[in-house]
Amino acid sequence: MERFDRAYFDAGVPRVGTDSVKWDGMLAETGDRDMLPMWVADMDFPSPPAVYDALAGVLARRTWGYTISGEADAQALCGFWARRHGVTLDPSWVLQSPCVVTGLRVAVQAATEPGEGVLVQPPVYGPFFASIKDAGRRVVESPLARDARGRYSMDLADMENRLRGGQARAVMLCSPHNPCGRVWSRDEMQAVMALCARYGATLICDEIHADFVYAPNRHVSVMALPAACKRVMLCAASKTFNVAGLEQSAIVCDDEALRARMAAQMNASGVKAGNAFALAATRAAYTGCDAWLDGLLCYLAENRDAAVAFLRETLPAVVVTPLEATYLLWLDCRALGLPQEELLSRVAAAHVKVNDGLFFGELGRGFIRLNIGCPRAQLMEALRRIAGALGA
Ligand SMILES: Cc1ncc(COP(=O)(O)O)c(C=O)c1O
């Protein structure tokens, strides 16, 4: 049996010429063949063998007509969440959706009316803002607080001020948080739910990064707590098992009326999910890949530790945000005193592509995001280049 050890992940997988946004998109944009892509949030590892086998099985059918998405798909998801996160989900709560961002948009439109506010906690994943604005809703910002070590926390008093008086009718939470790397504690999750309950807001919780939580932290799903408020959880196998190109995710909601509104919303927009390949891959990922995922988490934790140690040594002025979850390192480069364009152009001149902190809102000025979901040799080479570009 294949072992998902260091050597397996060190080997990576060739991605140039696979129509990958991260690799081929970067090449099309920059024309730089030497550039290392440390940006878009997918990983440079092969997906689990069981996913490959499931896809090969569908390919071997030689016919791909209309496909049923049913109980087995929802059961696989619920089984995974029970096993990995100790959450009991009912299969009837699951709506299949193409992408998590689709789910965010659908949830916003079903939970709020045009002109109403939706609270977000910047700096946060850019499409949060767009999914609110594009729907004709208002973005209500409650910035995360940050301590001297660079660890972020929720500003619950500020959130309450903004929710009071109905300024926001929904809260969009990123849990775990991209790009701030936080795993929200049970207390924090309970506090947010209590605020939503008090002010009648719906909690929309994007849990796409839930499976990338490093010990001793534990993911506390919005669905793991008593239903104090209306809640929607968005999740996917896409990041976890590196199958984002298959475009399959789920919307989980235990409020029947809200779920029906979301289903109607998708129907009215002609959004259908669940193609034959995506469903088979997702079922296999949720049922037969725990050993692969455990191996991946060990490897990523070592990548994180190696990156943190290297950056502390070579770029002490850069504050590395503590990474409790995700494979996305949020680097505070403000002490270097560089304008954002120069920060990015220096890194690009060293042949490394990172995410611009401003993608996560104005509070990302002076920051870059580095994807460490790649073989260690690639990560260390990118770090050496960044240290050369930003060092004294
Ligand atoms: C918090 C968060 N939500 C959603 C997505 C995108 O998910 P999808 O490709 O399923 O829309 C990402 C991708 O980076 C993300 O970080």
Side-chain angles (χ1 to χ4, degrees), residues 18 37 42 61 107 112 115 118 177 182 202 207 213 237 246 261 279 285 288 293 322 339 351 361:
T18 63
D42 63 20
R61 290 177 197 159
T112 62
V118 180
H177 195 279
R182 269 301 312 276
T202 301
E207 302 191 16
V213 170
L246 295 175
R261 276 204 300 285
L279 288 171
L293 178 53
H351 309 288

Side-chain angles (χ1 to χ4, degrees), residues 41 98-102 104 125 128 174 176 178 206 208-209 236 238-239 244 248-249 328 369:
C99 300
V100 165
V101 171
T102 316
L104 287 172
Y125 180 58
F128 274 36
C174 196
N178 169 22
D206 178 342
I208 194 170
H209 293 286
S238 58
K239 294 249 182 263
Q248 176 70 37
S249 75
L328 307 162
R369 195 191 72 175

